[in-house]
Amino acid sequence: KYFEKMVELEDYDFFITCPYCGFEKQMVITNLKRRGFSCPQCGDGVSMPQKFIFSMLNQLNVNFKEEFCPKWSNKKRYDFYFQQYNEKHIIEVHGLQHYKNGFESVGGGKLHEIQENDKLKRELALNNGIKDENYIVIDFRESTLEFGKKSILSSRLNEIFDLDMINWDKCLLDSLKSRVIEVINIRRNSNNTISVTEIMNITNLSRYTVCRYLHIGNELKMCKYNGIKD
């Protein structure tokens, strides 16, 4: 479903071909099962849990900021920021690397370093106008619909919003999509005439992100974009 061919090399190694841009990537089968396939050429580099929350906030029609990086954060980024009922809120989505060692081999940090950074980010937020109860950490150590839904429903988000309206299957479906491909397809399906601003309104992505994704599409010859931020 998510790739066109798998050519067996050894007992546990495969070549995976991206169905969108044709990029071929060698993966150990256990890593494929655990993390899924992410194309380094046209993938968005955004984790499944973060896209899951993104879809949920979109369904709630929340005016939010993703990758929130205020001046007081010392260039540290928070997954999501929004205001509701005149109060400021931050959402941090924590995958397995925030709870378990063993991610150094795939480019991650050591557990104690990640947890120390989590603690520092929280302290910075609490010292700059975010109430303790409004600093919301979602445990997403298992990238599954059931685990993610349970974590969200047991969090403060269930007190702030009416989560009965959420289509959880859509959250899962959206979490499996590449946002890069979504933006490219919107542009291509309009015969390359739809503007950056219109794509922003459709996807709720920032201007910088939309332009960056369109540049990727242009380089891959999947859509046309001349760099104008219309």
Side-chain angles (χ1 to χ4, degrees):
K1 183 177 179 180
Y2 299 108
F3 43 81
E4 293 175 342
K5 67 175 182 178
M6 299 179 75
V7 180
E8 186 171 359
L9 299 176
E10 300 174 354
D11 289 341
Y12 301 100
D13 287 358
F14 287 85
F15 271 134
I16 312 299
T17 301
C18 175
Y20 301 108
C21 69
F23 183 89
E24 201 166 60
K25 175 180 177 180
Q26 184 176 349
M27 291 190 71
V28 177
I29 198 67
T30 52
N31 289 340
L32 178 62
K33 289 180 178 179
R34 183 174 59 186
R35 300 197 300 268
F37 177 76
S38 177
C39 179
Q41 184 164 264
C42 72
D44 52 29
V46 183
S47 71
M48 175 272 183
Q50 190 163 332
K51 286 190 279 192
F52 193 99
I53 299 294
F54 185 98
S55 175
M56 182 197 73
L57 293 176
N58 265 338
Q59 291 183 52
L60 292 167
N61 293 315
V62 178
N63 183 14
F64 65 91
K65 295 180 180 178
E66 189 180 20
E67 295 295 317
F68 180 58
C69 186
K71 292 181 180 179
W72 48 259
S73 72
N74 294 331
K75 297 184 179 180
K76 295 185 181 297
R77 296 182 181 273
Y78 297 86
D79 292 333
F80 299 97
Y81 168 85
F82 66 92
Q83 293 191 38
Q84 190 80 352
Y85 308 124
N86 296 317
E87 292 195 356
K88 302 173 182 178
H89 301 76
I90 280 176
I91 303 175
E92 283 283 273
V93 188
H94 286 179
L96 184 59
Q97 70 273 20
H98 292 263
Y99 304 98
K100 184 179 179 181
N101 270 313
F103 286 83
E104 298 92 331
S105 62
V106 292
K110 297 179 180 179
L111 179 60
H112 73 88
E113 294 173 341
I114 293 174
Q115 292 183 337
E116 189 63 32
N117 185 59
D118 291 339
K119 181 180 178 181
L120 176 58
K121 288 174 69 176
R122 186 184 190 101
E123 289 176 352
L124 282 170
L126 298 188
N127 289 332
N128 287 277
I130 306 295
K131 295 181 180 180
D132 183 68
E133 64 268 24
N134 292 339
Y135 191 92
I136 304 166
V137 176
I138 303 297
D139 179 353
F140 228 121
R141 72 184 74 191
E142 293 183 20
S143 296
T144 65
L145 171 60
E146 294 77 13
F147 193 94
K149 179 181 176 181
K150 182 178 180 181
S151 294
I152 293 167
L153 290 176
S154 62
S155 76
R156 178 157 163 71
L157 292 174
N158 203 18
E159 301 173 18
I160 301 171
F161 301 111
D162 177 13
L163 298 183
D164 288 338
M165 65 172 289
I166 298 299
N167 182 336
W168 299 103
D169 289 336
K170 176 173 171 51
C171 289
L172 178 62
L173 180 62
D174 289 343
S175 74
L176 300 175
K177 296 178 180 177
S178 165
R179 293 185 194 159
V180 175
I181 298 302
E182 179 185 3
V183 168
I184 290 171
N185 283 341
I186 291 172
R187 178 77 172 185
R188 183 171 56 191
N189 292 339
S190 72
N191 291 320
N192 300 298
T193 60
I194 191 170
S195 69
V196 169
T197 300
E198 289 174 305
I199 297 176
M200 288 169 56
N201 292 335
I202 293 171
T203 62
N204 202 29
L205 294 170
S206 70
R207 182 176 297 275
Y208 168 80
T209 300
V210 170
C211 292
R212 181 162 60 90
Y213 289 173
L214 289 177
H215 276 298
I216 293 172
N218 190 65
E219 290 174 2
L220 295 173
K221 295 181 172 50
M222 297 173 70
C223 71
K224 294 180 179 179
Y225 178 61
N226 58 12
I228 297 176
K229 299 179 181 180
D230 45 2

